[in-house]
Amino acid sequence: MNLEKLKEHIDSTDVVEELIALSRKVLGKNSDDVKTVIEMFITKSYLMGKKNMVKTFDE
């Protein structure tokens, strides 16, 4: 796996759904549990970032 190319793909991603699709592609034949955990991390990170952004604007 070319990690530099993967990093470029991640950096150019604009929406959470693209990150989830990319993680599925990278993980390929790994278990569904692993894919689910990665999706949960991506989604939680997005929501935390969104919450922190709103908090910053409120201050």
Side-chain angles (χ1 to χ4, degrees):
M1 177 186 317
N2 184 340
L3 294 179
E4 189 60 36
K5 190 172 182 179
L6 176 60
K7 183 180 179 326
E8 289 174 16
H9 282 292
I10 292 171
D11 289 343
S12 67
T13 300
D14 294 328
V15 294
V16 172
E17 290 81 11
E18 288 178 14
L19 280 177
I20 292 172
L22 181 60
S23 71
R24 287 179 184 154
K25 182 178 177 184
V26 168
L27 294 171
K29 295 180 182 176
N30 287 333
S31 75
D32 287 338
D33 289 342
V34 171
K35 292 176 187 177
T36 301
V37 169
I38 297 299
E39 287 180 23
M40 289 186 327
F41 276 122
I42 291 169
T43 304
K44 182 64 176 177
S45 297
Y46 169 75
L47 294 174
M48 288 171 66
K50 195 172 181 181
K51 181 179 178 183
N52 290 339
M53 192 170 77
V54 169
K55 190 183 278 187
T56 302
F57 284 129
D58 287 344
E59 294 174 351

